[in-house]
Amino acid sequence: MLTMKILLTGVTGQVGSALLRPLQRLGRVIYPTRTQLDLSDASAVARYLERNSPDLIVNPAAWTQVDCAETDPDAAYGLNALLPEQLARYCADRDIWLIHYSTDYVYSGAGTEPFTEASVPAPLNVYGETKLAGDEAIQALCQKHLILRTSWVYSHSGHNFLKTMLRVGKERDELRVVNDQVGTPTSAEFLADVTAQMVDYMQVNQEIPAGVYHAVPSGYTTWADFAEAIFAMARESGLGEYIVTVKGIPTSEYPTPAVRPLNSRLCNDKLLNVMPNSDFSWGQCLTNSFAALVKP
Ligand SMILES: NC(=O)c1ccc[n+]([C@@H]2O[C@H](COP(=O)([O-])OP(=O)(O)OC[C@H]3O[C@@H](n4cnc5c(N)ncnc54)[C@H](OP(=O)(O)O)[C@@H]3O)[C@@H](O)[C@H]2O)c1
C-alpha cells in the first residue's frame, strides 16, 4: 500500500496545506488547485477522478465563508453538499476510503453540555445546513468514510481568528471580543496529524471504525479568552508587545449575517479511544503552533 495514490483537495486552504506533507510521507499525493480543477464543476471532477484513479480521497475543500453562505446558498451547497456526495459515490463504487471534514456548526448550539457524535444535528445557519447535507450524503452512500467534525480552525496561513488577532492586536489598544460562545480552537496541524494517523492505521490494516469523529483538542474556551491566550503567547514568543486590552462582549453586541452557536463544545472521547496519541489540550496545540512560527 506504500504506493497508495491520495487525492487531496483544498491544498491552498488551512487544513489542506497542513495535510500535504504528512500525507506525502504515506503515499503519492495528487493535489489539484482551483485553477487545475474547479471542484464546483461536477463534470470536471468526474473526468479528473477517471483520469487519476485515486486509492484514497481526503477532502478538506469547502465553502467556508459562513456569512456569505446566507446570501449565496447554492454556491455553498455545491461545495459542501454536492461535491462530498459525488466523492462518496465514487469511493463507494471503488470500495476506497473517503476522509472528509465537517463542523461544530451542524449542531444547535443549545445548552452547555458537549455534543457527541450521537447528538442530533440542528444547524442554525446555511453553512451548517450545507455541511450537514454533505455529511448525510457520505453516510448514506459510502460505507468507508471518516467524517472529522472540528471547530474554530486556525493556522498561520489563510484567514482565521489567530491571524486577525495578531494583526489587529498591534494596531489597537482595546479589542471587543465575544465571550459567550464556547468551543475549542483547533490547529490545522492537529487535524493533519490526526488524519495522517488514520491513514497510517488503514495502511497497516489496523481497525479504524468508519463514522463521524469529533476531531478537536481537549478543553474549551471563549473567543475572548482565546484572544488573550494568543496575545500572551505572541509576547512570550517575541512577536511583539501586544499591549492590548481584550474586552469581552456578548454575541448580541457583535451581530453577523449568519447566526453562530453559543455552545460549540464537541466531546472528543470517541477520537481519543481510537487514537490516544491525539490527546492534546487546545493550549498545547497553540503553543506548538507558535513554536513552529518562530522556529529559526
Ligand atoms: N475554518 C474553520 O474554522 C472551520 C471550522 C470547522 C470546520 N471546518 C471545516 O474544515 C475543512 C477545512 O477548512 P479550512 O479552514 O481549511 O478551509 P479554507 O482555508 O477556507 O480552504 C478551503 C479550500 O477549498 C478550496 N476551494 C473552495 N472552493 C473551490 C472550488 N470551487 N474549486 C477548487 N477549490 C475550492 C479553496 O481553494 P482556494 O484557495 O482557491 O479558494 C481552499 O483550498 C472544511 O470542511 C471546513 O468546513 C473549518
Side-chain angles (χ1 to χ4, degrees):
M1 283 281 256
L2 264 182
T3 52
M4 176 186 255
K5 192 195 270 192
I6 305 170
L7 168 58
L8 171 65
T9 65
V11 71
T12 51
Q14 300 192 78
V15 176
S17 59
L19 277 164
L20 182 58
R21 285 221 184 137
L23 290 182
Q24 281 176 326
R25 286 195 276 273
L26 298 167
R28 193 182 139 216
V29 185
I30 48 173
Y31 48 98
T33 60
R34 185 191 289 260
T35 45
Q36 292 158 329
L37 176 62
D38 178 358
L39 294 168
S40 65
D41 180 343
S43 327
V45 171
R47 284 195 301 277
Y48 186 90
L49 291 171
E50 277 314 313
R51 231 182 7 252
N52 290 283
S53 291
D55 305 309
L56 164 70
I57 298 181
V58 181
N59 180 44
W63 175 286
T64 54
Q65 300 158 72
V66 175
D67 289 318
C68 296
E70 298 293 313
T71 46
D72 200 352
D74 291 346
Y77 193 79
L79 250 285
N80 295 347
L82 297 180
L83 174 68
E85 179 182 330
Q86 183 177 12
L87 298 179
R89 282 187 201 284
Y90 179 87
C91 290
D93 283 352
R94 279 144 189 92
D95 194 31
I96 63 171
W97 281 88
L98 171 60
I99 303 182
H100 179 72
Y101 300 83
S102 184
T103 169
D104 53 317
Y105 282 21
V106 301
Y107 298 115
S108 71
T112 54
E113 287 300 307
F115 292 93
T116 73
E117 291 82 352
S119 300
V120 177
L124 297 175
N125 55 42
V126 170
Y127 167 77
E129 284 168 15
T130 62
K131 291 293 294 182
L132 178 60
D135 293 4
E136 288 177 343
I138 293 171
Q139 288 167 312
L141 293 167
C142 177
Q143 197 261 319
K144 286 187 172 174
H145 68 264
L146 297 169
I147 297 174
L148 308 185
R149 285 191 183 144
T150 189
S151 65
W152 298 17
V153 177
Y154 65 90
S155 76
H156 292 295
S157 64
H159 300 289
N160 59 66
F161 184 80
L162 177 134
K163 284 189 67 186
T164 304
M165 288 301 113
L166 289 179
R167 190 185 69 250
V168 297
K170 278 194 171 157
E171 297 163 1
R172 310 213 198 130
D173 301 331
E174 183 183 275
L175 285 175
R176 289 153 51 82
V177 186
V178 169
N179 68 357
D180 59 356
Q181 292 176 27
V182 180
T184 306
T186 304
S187 68
E189 289 70 27
F190 172 86
L191 283 170
D193 283 350
V194 166
T195 307
Q197 275 191 63
M198 287 181 160
V199 176
D200 204 23
Y201 272 39
M202 285 172 192
Q203 287 187 325
V204 293
N205 279 336
Q206 279 173 277
E207 274 298 298
I208 175 98
V212 175
Y213 290 84
H214 288 169
V216 287
S218 299
Y220 308 109
T221 188
T222 66
W223 289 112
D225 286 346
F226 184 30
E228 296 271 26
I230 290 168
F231 295 136
M233 201 76 72
R235 284 191 292 269
E236 266 174 46
S237 312
L239 292 181
E241 289 188 28
Y242 286 101
I243 314 163
V244 50
T245 305
V246 175
K247 183 174 185 301
I249 57 163
T251 301
S252 55
E253 286 183 26
Y254 190 76
T256 49
V259 178
R260 262 65 174 176
L262 291 181
N263 178 19
S264 275
R265 294 173 184 87
L266 299 181
C267 170
N268 64 358
D269 289 354
K270 184 178 169 190
L271 177 80
L272 297 186
N273 276 335
V274 184
M275 263 167 221
N277 291 348
S278 300
D279 194 4
F280 294 99
S281 69
W282 70 264
Q284 281 173 295
C285 289
L286 186 64
T287 306
N288 293 344
S289 292
F290 271 90
L293 185 69
V294 296
K295 201 165 65 184

